[in-house]
């Protein structure tokens, strides 16, 4: 995920993950402990926490605050919406061949054919991908990266990494990005085209989360918030949303168990003999 999208796109993925799962995979006790301590003690996913925290502060408080966010605000203010949409469509169209291969490697043949059809249609009728004609024809985007393929094959993520400028990552995702780069048409672009592609992708991704910044600002520990959301997002993508459904079911089960326990603690008075006595039949009385 890191090589393609960079820091801004990862912020999008993290906020989406939090919105979809609501951190439901954690029980109430774990959430309180994380908020009170500011981090997860002995988190096996994050053996380099001290280094990662320093890098996160640099990415968020320096690179984003003084470079990426100001440029994004200016880009949104100056660039017309139709032009932004067209440029973003063209960038995303270059990812369709990779999605085709990665869907096929996971046995998602229907989704793979959708990705191939989208690339052919949008690259021709859609004027080099600037117009998403395939979407209007009902062919939805089925984006997959090789990191998800590795996850589907049972490869573990490895240790959590906070990379300079690129943001949250892990060995599995980083390897996936490298492999994706080999069979993506974007790899054929050189010079200013490559720079433009990465710049457009980063600016649009960063623009998408400006309104969601309060969620991060309200977090007791922004580093732990990002890390947990990152892993939840990875699991969500690898399982195609099944992890979110399972988390919600577990959360609902916990709520039911709490309600059941509360009922058991309540003491109801025993009914009196008068209350147990059946009412007389008014018809027989007459």
């Amino acid at each position: 995920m890191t090589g393609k999208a960079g820091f801004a796109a990862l912020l999008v993925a993290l906020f989406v993950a939090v919105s979809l799962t609501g951190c439901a995979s954690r029980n109430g006790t774990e959430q309180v402990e994380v908020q009170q301590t500011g981090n997860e003690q002995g988190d096996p996913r994050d053996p380099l926490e001290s280094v990662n925290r320093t890098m996160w502060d640099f990415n968020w408080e320096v690179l984003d605050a003084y470079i990426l966010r100001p440029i994004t605000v200016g880009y949104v203010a100056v660039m017309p919406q139709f032009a932004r949409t067209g440029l973003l469509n063209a960038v995303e169209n270059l990812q369709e061949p990779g999605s085709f291969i990665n869907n096929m490697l996971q046995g998602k043949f229907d989704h793979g054919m959708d990705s191939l059809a989208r690339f052919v249609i949008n690259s021709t009728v859609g004027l080099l991908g600037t117009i998403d004609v395939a979407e209007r024809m009902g062919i939805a985007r089925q984006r997959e990266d090789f990191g998800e393929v590795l996850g589907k094959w049972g490869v573990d993520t490895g240790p959590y990494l906070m990379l300079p400028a690129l943001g949250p990552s892990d060995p599995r995702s980083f390897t996936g990005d490298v492999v994706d780069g080999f069979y993506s048409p974007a790899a054929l672009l050189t010079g200013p085209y490559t720079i433009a592609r990465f710049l457009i992708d980063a600016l649009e991704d960063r623009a998408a989360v400006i309104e969601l910044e309060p969620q991060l600002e309200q977090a007791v520990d922004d580093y732990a918030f990002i890390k947990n959301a990152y892993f939840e997002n990875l699991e969500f993508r690898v399982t195609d949303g099944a992890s979110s459904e399972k988390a919600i079911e577990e959360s609902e089960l916990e709520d039911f168990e709490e309600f059941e326990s509360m009922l058991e603690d309540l003491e109801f008075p025993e009914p009196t003999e008068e209350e147990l006595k059946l009412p007389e039949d008014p018809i027989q009385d007459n």
Side-chain angles (χ1 to χ4, degrees):
M1 296 173 65
T2 48
K4 294 182 205 171
F7 184 53
L10 282 163
L11 288 176
V12 176
L14 302 181
F15 284 119
V16 168
V18 172
S19 300
L20 290 172
T21 65
C23 293
S25 60
R26 296 177 171 276
N27 60 42
T29 302
E30 289 176 328
Q31 291 186 38
V32 171
E33 289 178 352
V34 170
Q35 291 175 353
Q36 290 178 344
T37 61
N39 62 76
E40 298 177 40
Q41 299 295 331
D43 188 346
R45 304 170 303 177
D46 191 9
L48 303 174
E49 182 174 344
S50 59
V51 177
N52 286 333
R53 279 184 176 274
T54 301
M55 192 56 62
W56 161 251
D57 291 339
F58 173 72
N59 284 340
W60 182 246
E61 298 176 6
V62 179
L63 293 183
D64 184 82
Y66 293 101
I67 299 177
L68 183 57
R69 192 182 190 283
I71 294 177
T72 300
V73 172
Y75 171 77
V76 172
V78 174
M79 187 69 69
Q81 183 59 54
F82 76 89
R84 289 175 54 194
T85 301
L87 291 173
L88 182 60
N89 285 342
V91 170
E92 292 181 336
N93 186 57
L94 295 174
Q95 299 167 349
E96 297 292 357
S99 294
F100 162 69
I101 296 175
N102 293 326
N103 273 302
M104 290 298 188
L105 290 175
Q106 296 179 70
K108 302 176 183 178
F109 302 114
D110 290 342
H111 288 180
M113 295 308 298
D114 284 346
S115 297
L116 181 60
R118 284 181 56 83
F119 181 70
V120 173
I121 294 172
N122 289 341
S123 297
T124 53
V125 183
L127 304 178
L128 298 180
T130 55
I131 304 174
D132 195 346
V133 178
E135 182 73 28
R136 300 178 185 181
M137 295 172 60
I139 307 175
R141 178 177 288 107
Q142 308 293 346
R143 183 172 179 179
E144 296 283 333
D145 57 52
F146 191 72
E148 294 173 57
V149 174
L150 294 176
K152 201 74 171 183
W153 290 351
V155 178
D156 189 49
T157 61
Y160 181 64
L161 303 172
M162 181 65 66
L163 303 179
L166 298 178
S169 185
D170 61 88
R172 187 182 75 190
S173 298
F174 188 83
T175 301
D177 291 339
V178 173
V179 175
D180 284 336
F182 284 116
Y183 50 65
S184 171
L188 301 176
L189 300 178
T190 58
Y193 296 102
T194 300
I195 297 175
R197 178 174 66 89
F198 277 106
L199 185 60
I200 292 169
D201 206 6
L203 292 177
E204 287 296 340
D205 285 332
R206 186 61 182 89
V209 297
I210 287 180
E211 296 181 357
L212 300 176
E213 289 174 356
Q215 294 186 39
L216 182 60
E217 294 172 354
Q218 292 172 6
V220 176
D221 182 358
D222 51 8
Y223 173 82
F225 175 88
I226 290 294
K227 178 178 65 176
N228 293 327
Y230 174 77
F231 280 107
E232 287 175 3
N233 179 63
L234 284 183
E235 185 67 16
F236 180 86
R237 291 177 63 86
V238 170
T239 62
D240 294 325
S243 63
S244 177
E245 296 176 1
K246 180 180 178 181
I248 293 174
E249 291 175 359
E250 291 176 350
S251 177
E252 292 175 347
L253 179 60
E254 290 172 1
D255 292 339
F256 175 76
E257 290 175 347
E258 290 179 4
F259 176 72
E260 190 177 43
S261 175
M262 181 183 65
L263 290 179
E264 292 176 353
D265 294 337
L266 293 177
E267 295 183 0
F268 295 97
E270 294 291 334
T272 64
E273 292 183 1
E274 291 295 328
E275 292 174 335
L276 292 173
K277 187 178 180 180
L278 296 175
E280 297 180 355
D281 192 341
I283 297 179
Q284 293 180 356
D285 292 343
N286 293 335

